Amino acid sequence: MGQSHEEGRPNHYWKDAVLPESVAPKGDHPAFPPGNILLTGSTGYLGGYIMAELLQDTDAVLYCLVRGRSEGEARDRLAASLENRGVAPVPHERLRVVPGNMAKPNFGLSESEYDSLAESVDAIYHCGAWVNLIVGYPFLKGSNVDGTFEVLKFATHRRSIPLHHISTLGVMMRNYGEGTGVVTEDPTPPLPLNIGYYESKWVSERLVSQAQARGLPATVYRPGAILGDSANRLLSPSDWLMQITLASLRVGATPEHEFMLPVSCADFTARCITDISRTDGSRGGTFHTTHPEPMPLDTYFEKIRSCRPHLRSVPFARWLDGIRSHYGGNDPMTRLAEAVPGFLPSPRNGVTTHAASDSARKFHTDRNSVPALDVDYFHGMLANLESRE
């Protein structure tokens, strides 16, 4: 397995995509619905929304695996995350902090702590990841690949704990570049594009699929580009799309680029994941948790310009020149801008391509109606983004 089909490029990640035989389910599945849930990534952007949804719509106790110099510091970070999302104070007994590191063996816990946690947890929501579209696979392997391996090892340590694995539509981007038309919720993604983040998430999905084949009840969710929430427009300034948007505001222009952007508001995405996960019949599926209708990237920027009329729409190359002039050639923002055609590939054959979400749509509920991405929404999102400069 030393070569890919892409220009003979070595598949440097293949060796990591093999799950050791020792990682296999043991014992019975825990009861459904789960009484105790382990959540990774709870202090992250999407993970914080998933945490809020689980606290609001289940009676489960959440065990949040959090890095921190102390349990108190970690708990304060969780409380701040919930406050930002408008969640009322949570009873102490429903939110428990597990100081640890998901990429370390046994999460960095002692043997007794690890065993006790494995015997207590009834379900796992694995949302923890390092999202970075400009660094290579080796930099992301620890957080994204080793972290997923440790989660799978934990899920099979004592019992067969159901896993809800949050991946990304980035693993399907090769289909966009090849212009396949509709990208279905295929459980087997194609080989990834040469983007380190996509490669790391592709390897993670491969590991999960092997655990599934051995009997682990695992479900995969693939969000797309996540926008600010539909209620108060809370967003993540470090998100790649928000960085590109802010850079466009600074240079006075938006880029023209042919791509069908799979978008979703943060709260809508989190509710899709939790609604699907709470339906026993969904177990083992693969779901694209996006708005039903994709948004052309040019339409996204058209909405930005409708709120900021001074912005101009310019060819991508001219926009990139403006970014380089404003930020400098070695700035991370310039590197991100230069990478856009790589991680958002235009179809080489000219066939408009978008991700389907038919399976996920079957689980939409009345409480999770699709938010309107109208001018009012974009006004609020931009105001929030600019206030964080």
Side-chain angles (χ1 to χ4, degrees):
M1 294 188 292
Q3 298 289 318
S4 76
H5 297 293
E6 182 185 359
E7 301 175 356
R9 180 170 58 86
N11 274 336
H12 51 282
Y13 47 81
W14 267 105
K15 67 183 188 310
D16 302 321
V18 179
L19 187 67
E21 292 295 334
S22 59
V23 180
K26 302 174 184 67
D28 297 329
H29 302 330
F32 184 86
N36 297 307
I37 292 172
L38 176 69
L39 173 63
T40 71
S42 56
T43 58
Y45 183 59
L46 178 58
Y49 280 98
I50 292 174
M51 175 176 62
E53 291 295 327
L54 291 171
L55 288 169
Q56 288 180 317
D57 296 305
T58 76
D59 296 321
V61 175
L62 264 59
Y63 291 78
C64 298
L65 186 64
V66 179
R67 292 186 189 183
R69 289 173 292 186
S70 68
E71 183 174 337
E73 178 185 284
R75 185 173 293 279
D76 288 344
R77 290 173 63 195
L78 290 176
S81 177
L82 289 169
E83 183 179 359
N84 286 339
R85 288 156 178 77
V87 179
V90 177
H92 183 80
E93 63 272 13
R94 284 205 59 207
L95 190 59
R96 301 184 183 179
V97 176
V98 181
N101 185 329
M102 69 180 184
K104 289 185 176 181
N106 294 358
F107 302 146
L109 305 177
S110 69
E111 185 176 347
S112 61
E113 291 171 330
Y114 189 76
D115 287 344
S116 176
L117 189 63
E119 291 168 355
S120 300
V121 167
D122 304 315
I124 304 165
Y125 288 72
H126 178 38
C127 192
W130 181 14
V131 182
N132 190 312
L133 293 165
I134 60 174
V135 301
Y137 174 83
F139 295 95
L140 300 168
K141 176 182 176 294
S143 294
N144 299 353
V145 176
D146 296 347
T148 299
F149 168 74
E150 287 298 325
V151 166
L152 289 169
K153 191 177 73 173
F154 176 82
T156 58
H157 179 60
R158 289 292 193 189
R159 297 175 291 165
S160 181
I161 305 175
L163 170 64
H164 301 280
H165 176 69
I166 288 76
S167 183
T168 172
L169 262 168
V171 300
M172 307 300 289
M173 283 301 123
R174 180 176 293 277
N175 285 344
Y176 276 73
E178 292 176 351
T180 59
V182 177
V183 177
T184 62
E185 290 158 298
D186 191 332
T188 305
L191 283 173
L193 294 173
N194 186 20
I195 301 294
Y197 177 64
Y198 294 168
E199 291 172 338
S200 71
K201 297 299 282 186
W202 182 90
V203 171
S204 294
E205 279 206 28
R206 292 277 296 188
L207 296 177
V208 171
S209 69
Q210 290 166 69
Q212 282 178 318
R214 297 173 194 175
L216 182 71
T219 308
V220 174
Y221 309 86
R222 294 179 183 145
I226 299 177
L227 305 179
D229 74 60
S230 60
N232 58 23
R233 314 310 193 245
L234 178 68
L235 48 79
S236 172
S238 63
D239 173 79
W240 70 267
L241 184 56
M242 293 303 101
Q243 291 183 50
I244 293 293
T245 302
L246 187 57
S248 297
L249 295 173
R250 288 174 174 169
V251 301
T254 62
E256 298 167 2
H257 181 63
E258 183 184 353
F259 187 84
M260 294 294 285
L261 194 66
V263 296
S264 184
C265 296
D267 51 336
F268 177 82
T269 303
R271 279 194 293 271
C272 280
I273 291 170
T274 57
D275 281 352
I276 293 169
S277 70
R278 291 163 58 201
T279 306
D280 201 18
S282 66
R283 186 173 289 178
T286 300
F287 302 94
H288 294 170
T289 54
T290 62
H291 282 54
E293 296 299 325
M295 178 182 291
L297 190 62
D298 288 340
T299 300
Y300 171 85
F301 283 115
E302 180 183 332
K303 290 177 180 290
I304 296 294
R305 292 194 305 275
S306 71
C307 300
R308 299 292 185 271
H310 68 282
L311 297 176
R312 296 171 294 112
S313 176
V314 300
F316 187 88
R318 188 188 304 176
W319 175 81
L320 186 55
D321 286 342
I323 295 293
R324 289 170 175 150
S325 176
H326 182 87
Y327 288 91
N330 295 321
D331 190 88
M333 184 62 243
T334 300
R335 292 170 58 203
L336 177 63
E338 290 171 341
V340 168
F343 65 79
L344 299 182
S346 297
R348 292 190 294 270
N349 60 2
V351 176
T352 300
T353 300
H354 70 280
S357 57
D358 297 341
S359 297
R361 248 186 286 183
K362 295 175 183 176
F363 295 92
H364 287 186
T365 61
D366 291 340
R367 79 184 187 103
N368 199 23
S369 57
V370 180
L373 298 178
D374 52 19
V375 172
D376 286 342
Y377 172 85
F378 275 84
H379 270 299
M381 187 188 77
L382 286 172
N384 192 309
L385 180 62
E386 291 170 327
S387 71
R388 293 168 176 267
E389 285 195 76

PDB file of all heavy atoms in Angstrom, residues 107-140:
ATOM      1  N   PHE A 107      -5.949   7.961  27.767  1.00  0.00           N
ATOM      2  CA  PHE A 107      -6.339   9.358  28.017  1.00  0.00           C
ATOM      3  C   PHE A 107      -5.468  10.034  29.079  1.00  0.00           C
ATOM      4  O   PHE A 107      -5.838  11.081  29.626  1.00  0.00           O
ATOM      5  CB  PHE A 107      -7.813   9.473  28.444  1.00  0.00           C
ATOM      6  CG  PHE A 107      -8.799   8.926  27.470  1.00  0.00           C
ATOM      7  CD1 PHE A 107      -9.979   8.319  27.910  1.00  0.00           C
ATOM      8  CD2 PHE A 107      -8.580   9.011  26.105  1.00  0.00           C
ATOM      9  CE1 PHE A 107     -10.905   7.819  27.012  1.00  0.00           C
ATOM     10  CE2 PHE A 107      -9.499   8.510  25.189  1.00  0.00           C
ATOM     11  CZ  PHE A 107     -10.660   7.902  25.656  1.00  0.00           C
ATOM     12  N   GLY A 108      -4.328   9.431  29.424  1.00  0.00           N
ATOM     13  CA  GLY A 108      -3.486   9.991  30.468  1.00  0.00           C
ATOM     14  C   GLY A 108      -3.991   9.711  31.872  1.00  0.00           C
ATOM     15  O   GLY A 108      -3.488  10.294  32.845  1.00  0.00           O
ATOM     16  N   LEU A 109      -4.974   8.811  31.996  1.00  0.00           N
ATOM     17  CA  LEU A 109      -5.555   8.481  33.300  1.00  0.00           C
ATOM     18  C   LEU A 109      -4.803   7.311  33.932  1.00  0.00           C
ATOM     19  O   LEU A 109      -4.124   6.543  33.251  1.00  0.00           O
ATOM     20  CB  LEU A 109      -7.029   8.109  33.139  1.00  0.00           C
ATOM     21  CG  LEU A 109      -7.935   9.124  32.440  1.00  0.00           C
ATOM     22  CD1 LEU A 109      -9.342   8.554  32.296  1.00  0.00           C
ATOM     23  CD2 LEU A 109      -7.966  10.437  33.218  1.00  0.00           C
ATOM     24  N   SER A 110      -4.961   7.191  35.243  1.00  0.00           N
ATOM     25  CA  SER A 110      -4.417   6.018  35.914  1.00  0.00           C
ATOM     26  C   SER A 110      -5.229   4.791  35.510  1.00  0.00           C
ATOM     27  O   SER A 110      -6.346   4.906  34.989  1.00  0.00           O
ATOM     28  CB  SER A 110      -4.481   6.197  37.434  1.00  0.00           C
ATOM     29  OG  SER A 110      -5.824   6.165  37.877  1.00  0.00           O
ATOM     30  N   GLU A 111      -4.685   3.617  35.736  1.00  0.00           N
ATOM     31  CA  GLU A 111      -5.377   2.391  35.363  1.00  0.00           C
ATOM     32  C   GLU A 111      -6.731   2.283  36.037  1.00  0.00           C
ATOM     33  O   GLU A 111      -7.729   1.914  35.402  1.00  0.00           O
ATOM     34  CB  GLU A 111      -4.516   1.175  35.709  1.00  0.00           C
ATOM     35  CG  GLU A 111      -5.110  -0.145  35.236  1.00  0.00           C
ATOM     36  CD  GLU A 111      -4.198  -1.327  35.504  1.00  0.00           C
ATOM     37  OE1 GLU A 111      -3.017  -1.096  35.833  1.00  0.00           O
ATOM     38  OE2 GLU A 111      -4.667  -2.486  35.386  1.00  0.00           O
ATOM     39  N   SER A 112      -6.786   2.622  37.315  1.00  0.00           N
ATOM     40  CA  SER A 112      -8.055   2.519  38.048  1.00  0.00           C
ATOM     41  C   SER A 112      -9.062   3.545  37.554  1.00  0.00           C
ATOM     42  O   SER A 112     -10.260   3.250  37.426  1.00  0.00           O
ATOM     43  CB  SER A 112      -7.820   2.683  39.550  1.00  0.00           C
ATOM     44  OG  SER A 112      -7.259   3.956  39.836  1.00  0.00           O
ATOM     45  N   GLU A 113      -8.604   4.773  37.251  1.00  0.00           N
ATOM     46  CA  GLU A 113      -9.506   5.804  36.725  1.00  0.00           C
ATOM     47  C   GLU A 113     -10.061   5.389  35.370  1.00  0.00           C
ATOM     48  O   GLU A 113     -11.252   5.566  35.087  1.00  0.00           O
ATOM     49  CB  GLU A 113      -8.768   7.141  36.605  1.00  0.00           C
ATOM     50  CG  GLU A 113      -8.406   7.798  37.921  1.00  0.00           C
ATOM     51  CD  GLU A 113      -7.500   8.998  37.731  1.00  0.00           C
ATOM     52  OE1 GLU A 113      -6.705   9.009  36.758  1.00  0.00           O
ATOM     53  OE2 GLU A 113      -7.564   9.922  38.560  1.00  0.00           O
ATOM     54  N   TYR A 114      -9.193   4.851  34.533  1.00  0.00           N
ATOM     55  CA  TYR A 114      -9.582   4.421  33.193  1.00  0.00           C
ATOM     56  C   TYR A 114     -10.604   3.288  33.260  1.00  0.00           C
ATOM     57  O   TYR A 114     -11.638   3.319  32.578  1.00  0.00           O
ATOM     58  CB  TYR A 114      -8.329   3.976  32.446  1.00  0.00           C
ATOM     59  CG  TYR A 114      -8.511   3.696  30.971  1.00  0.00           C
ATOM     60  CD1 TYR A 114      -8.624   4.733  30.049  1.00  0.00           C
ATOM     61  CD2 TYR A 114      -8.522   2.392  30.490  1.00  0.00           C
ATOM     62  CE1 TYR A 114      -8.745   4.483  28.691  1.00  0.00           C
ATOM     63  CE2 TYR A 114      -8.655   2.129  29.129  1.00  0.00           C
ATOM     64  CZ  TYR A 114      -8.765   3.172  28.232  1.00  0.00           C
ATOM     65  OH  TYR A 114      -8.893   2.923  26.892  1.00  0.00           O
ATOM     66  N   ASP A 115     -10.338   2.296  34.083  1.00  0.00           N
ATOM     67  CA  ASP A 115     -11.256   1.165  34.231  1.00  0.00           C
ATOM     68  C   ASP A 115     -12.613   1.615  34.747  1.00  0.00           C
ATOM     69  O   ASP A 115     -13.662   1.183  34.262  1.00  0.00           O
ATOM     70  CB  ASP A 115     -10.669   0.109  35.167  1.00  0.00           C
ATOM     71  CG  ASP A 115      -9.533  -0.678  34.530  1.00  0.00           C
ATOM     72  OD1 ASP A 115      -9.398  -0.616  33.297  1.00  0.00           O
ATOM     73  OD2 ASP A 115      -8.793  -1.342  35.270  1.00  0.00           O
ATOM     74  N   SER A 116     -12.593   2.483  35.745  1.00  0.00           N
ATOM     75  CA  SER A 116     -13.845   2.959  36.330  1.00  0.00           C
ATOM     76  C   SER A 116     -14.681   3.723  35.308  1.00  0.00           C
ATOM     77  O   SER A 116     -15.904   3.552  35.224  1.00  0.00           O
ATOM     78  CB  SER A 116     -13.541   3.854  37.535  1.00  0.00           C
ATOM     79  OG  SER A 116     -14.720   4.401  38.075  1.00  0.00           O
ATOM     80  N   LEU A 117     -14.005   4.567  34.512  1.00  0.00           N
ATOM     81  CA  LEU A 117     -14.715   5.337  33.494  1.00  0.00           C
ATOM     82  C   LEU A 117     -15.301   4.408  32.433  1.00  0.00           C
ATOM     83  O   LEU A 117     -16.452   4.577  32.007  1.00  0.00           O
ATOM     84  CB  LEU A 117     -13.764   6.348  32.854  1.00  0.00           C
ATOM     85  CG  LEU A 117     -14.365   7.382  31.908  1.00  0.00           C
ATOM     86  CD1 LEU A 117     -15.348   8.290  32.643  1.00  0.00           C
ATOM     87  CD2 LEU A 117     -13.256   8.233  31.263  1.00  0.00           C
ATOM     88  N   ALA A 118     -14.521   3.408  32.029  1.00  0.00           N
ATOM     89  CA  ALA A 118     -14.988   2.475  31.000  1.00  0.00           C
ATOM     90  C   ALA A 118     -16.191   1.672  31.475  1.00  0.00           C
ATOM     91  O   ALA A 118     -17.054   1.295  30.673  1.00  0.00           O
ATOM     92  CB  ALA A 118     -13.854   1.540  30.590  1.00  0.00           C
ATOM     93  N   GLU A 119     -16.251   1.393  32.749  1.00  0.00           N
ATOM     94  CA  GLU A 119     -17.380   0.639  33.293  1.00  0.00           C
ATOM     95  C   GLU A 119     -18.617   1.509  33.486  1.00  0.00           C
ATOM     96  O   GLU A 119     -19.734   1.001  33.559  1.00  0.00           O
ATOM     97  CB  GLU A 119     -16.976   0.002  34.621  1.00  0.00           C
ATOM     98  CG  GLU A 119     -15.953  -1.118  34.466  1.00  0.00           C
ATOM     99  CD  GLU A 119     -15.345  -1.554  35.791  1.00  0.00           C
ATOM    100  OE1 GLU A 119     -15.655  -0.905  36.818  1.00  0.00           O
ATOM    101  OE2 GLU A 119     -14.558  -2.511  35.793  1.00  0.00           O
ATOM    102  N   SER A 120     -18.433   2.834  33.540  1.00  0.00           N
ATOM    103  CA  SER A 120     -19.541   3.756  33.809  1.00  0.00           C
ATOM    104  C   SER A 120     -20.209   4.272  32.537  1.00  0.00           C
ATOM    105  O   SER A 120     -21.418   4.488  32.506  1.00  0.00           O
ATOM    106  CB  SER A 120     -19.045   4.955  34.628  1.00  0.00           C
ATOM    107  OG  SER A 120     -18.495   4.554  35.859  1.00  0.00           O
ATOM    108  N   VAL A 121     -19.423   4.478  31.480  1.00  0.00           N
ATOM    109  CA  VAL A 121     -19.908   5.168  30.283  1.00  0.00           C
ATOM    110  C   VAL A 121     -20.770   4.244  29.418  1.00  0.00           C
ATOM    111  O   VAL A 121     -20.437   3.091  29.189  1.00  0.00           O
ATOM    112  CB  VAL A 121     -18.716   5.716  29.465  1.00  0.00           C
ATOM    113  CG1 VAL A 121     -19.152   6.155  28.084  1.00  0.00           C
ATOM    114  CG2 VAL A 121     -18.058   6.867  30.218  1.00  0.00           C
ATOM    115  N   ASP A 122     -21.900   4.793  28.931  1.00  0.00           N
ATOM    116  CA  ASP A 122     -22.841   4.037  28.097  1.00  0.00           C
ATOM    117  C   ASP A 122     -22.805   4.452  26.633  1.00  0.00           C
ATOM    118  O   ASP A 122     -23.381   3.783  25.778  1.00  0.00           O
ATOM    119  CB  ASP A 122     -24.270   4.219  28.616  1.00  0.00           C
ATOM    120  CG  ASP A 122     -24.412   3.818  30.073  1.00  0.00           C
ATOM    121  OD1 ASP A 122     -23.889   2.758  30.443  1.00  0.00           O
ATOM    122  OD2 ASP A 122     -25.034   4.582  30.841  1.00  0.00           O
ATOM    123  N   ALA A 123     -22.200   5.598  26.329  1.00  0.00           N
ATOM    124  CA  ALA A 123     -22.094   6.087  24.946  1.00  0.00           C
ATOM    125  C   ALA A 123     -20.964   7.099  24.886  1.00  0.00           C
ATOM    126  O   ALA A 123     -20.621   7.738  25.885  1.00  0.00           O
ATOM    127  CB  ALA A 123     -23.395   6.712  24.471  1.00  0.00           C
ATOM    128  N   ILE A 124     -20.388   7.244  23.685  1.00  0.00           N
ATOM    129  CA  ILE A 124     -19.288   8.185  23.467  1.00  0.00           C
ATOM    130  C   ILE A 124     -19.639   9.090  22.292  1.00  0.00           C
ATOM    131  O   ILE A 124     -20.055   8.602  21.234  1.00  0.00           O
ATOM    132  CB  ILE A 124     -17.975   7.443  23.158  1.00  0.00           C
ATOM    133  CG1 ILE A 124     -17.631   6.443  24.261  1.00  0.00           C
ATOM    134  CG2 ILE A 124     -16.828   8.435  22.954  1.00  0.00           C
ATOM    135  CD1 ILE A 124     -16.563   5.443  23.851  1.00  0.00           C
ATOM    136  N   TYR A 125     -19.449  10.388  22.481  1.00  0.00           N
ATOM    137  CA  TYR A 125     -19.540  11.352  21.390  1.00  0.00           C
ATOM    138  C   TYR A 125     -18.134  11.909  21.195  1.00  0.00           C
ATOM    139  O   TYR A 125     -17.612  12.625  22.057  1.00  0.00           O
ATOM    140  CB  TYR A 125     -20.517  12.483  21.714  1.00  0.00           C
ATOM    141  CG  TYR A 125     -21.972  12.063  21.693  1.00  0.00           C
ATOM    142  CD1 TYR A 125     -22.499  11.245  22.699  1.00  0.00           C
ATOM    143  CD2 TYR A 125     -22.825  12.481  20.678  1.00  0.00           C
ATOM    144  CE1 TYR A 125     -23.826  10.855  22.689  1.00  0.00           C
ATOM    145  CE2 TYR A 125     -24.154  12.101  20.664  1.00  0.00           C
ATOM    146  CZ  TYR A 125     -24.651  11.291  21.666  1.00  0.00           C
ATOM    147  OH  TYR A 125     -25.972  10.908  21.651  1.00  0.00           O
ATOM    148  N   HIS A 126     -17.526  11.545  20.071  1.00  0.00           N
ATOM    149  CA  HIS A 126     -16.132  11.929  19.824  1.00  0.00           C
ATOM    150  C   HIS A 126     -16.098  13.096  18.844  1.00  0.00           C
ATOM    151  O   HIS A 126     -16.165  12.929  17.626  1.00  0.00           O
ATOM    152  CB  HIS A 126     -15.361  10.737  19.269  1.00  0.00           C
ATOM    153  CG  HIS A 126     -13.927  11.033  18.933  1.00  0.00           C
ATOM    154  ND1 HIS A 126     -13.137  11.862  19.703  1.00  0.00           N
ATOM    155  CD2 HIS A 126     -13.140  10.622  17.892  1.00  0.00           C
ATOM    156  CE1 HIS A 126     -11.940  11.950  19.160  1.00  0.00           C
ATOM    157  NE2 HIS A 126     -11.911  11.210  18.062  1.00  0.00           N
ATOM    158  N   CYS A 127     -15.981  14.301  19.414  1.00  0.00           N
ATOM    159  CA  CYS A 127     -15.962  15.527  18.610  1.00  0.00           C
ATOM    160  C   CYS A 127     -14.601  16.213  18.666  1.00  0.00           C
ATOM    161  O   CYS A 127     -14.367  17.184  17.959  1.00  0.00           O
ATOM    162  CB  CYS A 127     -17.059  16.478  19.101  1.00  0.00           C
ATOM    163  SG  CYS A 127     -17.395  17.859  18.017  1.00  0.00           S
ATOM    164  N   GLY A 128     -13.719  15.716  19.524  1.00  0.00           N
ATOM    165  CA  GLY A 128     -12.420  16.358  19.673  1.00  0.00           C
ATOM    166  C   GLY A 128     -11.553  16.192  18.439  1.00  0.00           C
ATOM    167  O   GLY A 128     -11.406  15.090  17.914  1.00  0.00           O
ATOM    168  N   ALA A 129     -10.976  17.293  17.963  1.00  0.00           N
ATOM    169  CA  ALA A 129     -10.078  17.262  16.800  1.00  0.00           C
ATOM    170  C   ALA A 129      -9.373  18.603  16.692  1.00  0.00           C
ATOM    171  O   ALA A 129      -9.856  19.620  17.214  1.00  0.00           O
ATOM    172  CB  ALA A 129     -10.843  16.972  15.512  1.00  0.00           C
ATOM    173  N   TRP A 130      -8.242  18.590  16.018  1.00  0.00           N
ATOM    174  CA  TRP A 130      -7.547  19.829  15.675  1.00  0.00           C
ATOM    175  C   TRP A 130      -7.878  20.126  14.226  1.00  0.00           C
ATOM    176  O   TRP A 130      -7.510  19.388  13.326  1.00  0.00           O
ATOM    177  CB  TRP A 130      -6.047  19.672  15.881  1.00  0.00           C
ATOM    178  CG  TRP A 130      -5.244  20.914  15.568  1.00  0.00           C
ATOM    179  CD1 TRP A 130      -5.712  22.182  15.392  1.00  0.00           C
ATOM    180  CD2 TRP A 130      -3.827  20.996  15.392  1.00  0.00           C
ATOM    181  NE1 TRP A 130      -4.693  23.054  15.103  1.00  0.00           N
ATOM    182  CE2 TRP A 130      -3.518  22.359  15.110  1.00  0.00           C
ATOM    183  CE3 TRP A 130      -2.797  20.056  15.453  1.00  0.00           C
ATOM    184  CZ2 TRP A 130      -2.218  22.790  14.885  1.00  0.00           C
ATOM    185  CZ3 TRP A 130      -1.496  20.495  15.217  1.00  0.00           C
ATOM    186  CH2 TRP A 130      -1.202  21.837  14.942  1.00  0.00           C
ATOM    187  N   VAL A 131      -8.601  21.227  14.004  1.00  0.00           N
ATOM    188  CA  VAL A 131      -9.002  21.616  12.653  1.00  0.00           C
ATOM    189  C   VAL A 131      -8.018  22.658  12.138  1.00  0.00           C
ATOM    190  O   VAL A 131      -7.952  23.775  12.650  1.00  0.00           O
ATOM    191  CB  VAL A 131     -10.435  22.189  12.637  1.00  0.00           C
ATOM    192  CG1 VAL A 131     -10.843  22.547  11.206  1.00  0.00           C
ATOM    193  CG2 VAL A 131     -11.421  21.203  13.247  1.00  0.00           C
ATOM    194  N   ASN A 132      -7.250  22.266  11.126  1.00  0.00           N
ATOM    195  CA  ASN A 132      -6.278  23.174  10.532  1.00  0.00           C
ATOM    196  C   ASN A 132      -6.061  22.720   9.089  1.00  0.00           C
ATOM    197  O   ASN A 132      -5.666  21.582   8.845  1.00  0.00           O
ATOM    198  CB  ASN A 132      -4.960  23.143  11.311  1.00  0.00           C
ATOM    199  CG  ASN A 132      -4.008  24.239  10.872  1.00  0.00           C
ATOM    200  OD1 ASN A 132      -3.767  24.447   9.696  1.00  0.00           O
ATOM    201  ND2 ASN A 132      -3.441  24.949  11.849  1.00  0.00           N
ATOM    202  N   LEU A 133      -6.333  23.607   8.152  1.00  0.00           N
ATOM    203  CA  LEU A 133      -6.306  23.239   6.739  1.00  0.00           C
ATOM    204  C   LEU A 133      -5.011  23.580   6.029  1.00  0.00           C
ATOM    205  O   LEU A 133      -4.900  23.389   4.817  1.00  0.00           O
ATOM    206  CB  LEU A 133      -7.480  23.912   6.022  1.00  0.00           C
ATOM    207  CG  LEU A 133      -8.856  23.388   6.450  1.00  0.00           C
ATOM    208  CD1 LEU A 133      -9.957  24.329   5.982  1.00  0.00           C
ATOM    209  CD2 LEU A 133      -9.098  21.986   5.920  1.00  0.00           C
ATOM    210  N   ILE A 134      -4.013  24.076   6.772  1.00  0.00           N
ATOM    211  CA  ILE A 134      -2.773  24.469   6.101  1.00  0.00           C
ATOM    212  C   ILE A 134      -1.547  23.732   6.623  1.00  0.00           C
ATOM    213  O   ILE A 134      -0.471  23.876   6.053  1.00  0.00           O
ATOM    214  CB  ILE A 134      -2.539  25.996   6.182  1.00  0.00           C
ATOM    215  CG1 ILE A 134      -2.442  26.466   7.626  1.00  0.00           C
ATOM    216  CG2 ILE A 134      -3.617  26.747   5.435  1.00  0.00           C
ATOM    217  CD1 ILE A 134      -2.075  27.950   7.762  1.00  0.00           C
ATOM    218  N   VAL A 135      -1.687  22.953   7.682  1.00  0.00           N
ATOM    219  CA  VAL A 135      -0.535  22.183   8.152  1.00  0.00           C
ATOM    220  C   VAL A 135      -0.651  20.748   7.663  1.00  0.00           C
ATOM    221  O   VAL A 135      -1.726  20.281   7.284  1.00  0.00           O
ATOM    222  CB  VAL A 135      -0.410  22.221   9.689  1.00  0.00           C
ATOM    223  CG1 VAL A 135      -0.266  23.641  10.181  1.00  0.00           C
ATOM    224  CG2 VAL A 135      -1.586  21.532  10.364  1.00  0.00           C
ATOM    225  N   GLY A 136       0.465  20.041   7.661  1.00  0.00           N
ATOM    226  CA  GLY A 136       0.502  18.694   7.122  1.00  0.00           C
ATOM    227  C   GLY A 136      -0.019  17.638   8.084  1.00  0.00           C
ATOM    228  O   GLY A 136      -0.194  17.876   9.285  1.00  0.00           O
ATOM    229  N   TYR A 137      -0.213  16.461   7.528  1.00  0.00           N
ATOM    230  CA  TYR A 137      -0.731  15.323   8.292  1.00  0.00           C
ATOM    231  C   TYR A 137       0.066  15.027   9.562  1.00  0.00           C
ATOM    232  O   TYR A 137      -0.528  14.778  10.610  1.00  0.00           O
ATOM    233  CB  TYR A 137      -0.781  14.098   7.381  1.00  0.00           C
ATOM    234  CG  TYR A 137      -1.156  12.821   8.074  1.00  0.00           C
ATOM    235  CD1 TYR A 137      -2.491  12.498   8.308  1.00  0.00           C
ATOM    236  CD2 TYR A 137      -0.174  11.920   8.513  1.00  0.00           C
ATOM    237  CE1 TYR A 137      -2.842  11.308   8.950  1.00  0.00           C
ATOM    238  CE2 TYR A 137      -0.521  10.739   9.148  1.00  0.00           C
ATOM    239  CZ  TYR A 137      -1.844  10.442   9.367  1.00  0.00           C
ATOM    240  OH  TYR A 137      -2.186   9.279  10.018  1.00  0.00           O
ATOM    241  N   PRO A 138       1.407  15.050   9.524  1.00  0.00           N
ATOM    242  CA  PRO A 138       2.155  14.706  10.742  1.00  0.00           C
ATOM    243  C   PRO A 138       1.806  15.585  11.940  1.00  0.00           C
ATOM    244  O   PRO A 138       1.849  15.125  13.080  1.00  0.00           O
ATOM    245  CB  PRO A 138       3.619  14.889  10.325  1.00  0.00           C
ATOM    246  CG  PRO A 138       3.624  14.663   8.846  1.00  0.00           C
ATOM    247  CD  PRO A 138       2.317  15.263   8.382  1.00  0.00           C
ATOM    248  N   PHE A 139       1.475  16.857  11.692  1.00  0.00           N
ATOM    249  CA  PHE A 139       1.141  17.758  12.789  1.00  0.00           C
ATOM    250  C   PHE A 139      -0.225  17.429  13.400  1.00  0.00           C
ATOM    251  O   PHE A 139      -0.487  17.742  14.560  1.00  0.00           O
ATOM    252  CB  PHE A 139       1.153  19.213  12.304  1.00  0.00           C
ATOM    253  CG  PHE A 139       2.503  19.703  11.884  1.00  0.00           C
ATOM    254  CD1 PHE A 139       2.891  19.668  10.559  1.00  0.00           C
ATOM    255  CD2 PHE A 139       3.402  20.188  12.825  1.00  0.00           C
ATOM    256  CE1 PHE A 139       4.147  20.111  10.162  1.00  0.00           C
ATOM    257  CE2 PHE A 139       4.660  20.639  12.443  1.00  0.00           C
ATOM    258  CZ  PHE A 139       5.027  20.599  11.112  1.00  0.00           C
ATOM    259  N   LEU A 140      -1.106  16.833  12.611  1.00  0.00           N
ATOM    260  CA  LEU A 140      -2.481  16.583  13.043  1.00  0.00           C
ATOM    261  C   LEU A 140      -2.703  15.152  13.517  1.00  0.00           C
ATOM    262  O   LEU A 140      -3.733  14.860  14.129  1.00  0.00           O
ATOM    263  CB  LEU A 140      -3.435  16.879  11.883  1.00  0.00           C
ATOM    264  CG  LEU A 140      -3.396  18.318  11.368  1.00  0.00           C
ATOM    265  CD1 LEU A 140      -4.136  18.432  10.050  1.00  0.00           C
ATOM    266  CD2 LEU A 140      -4.013  19.268  12.385  1.00  0.00           C
TER     267      LEU A 140
END
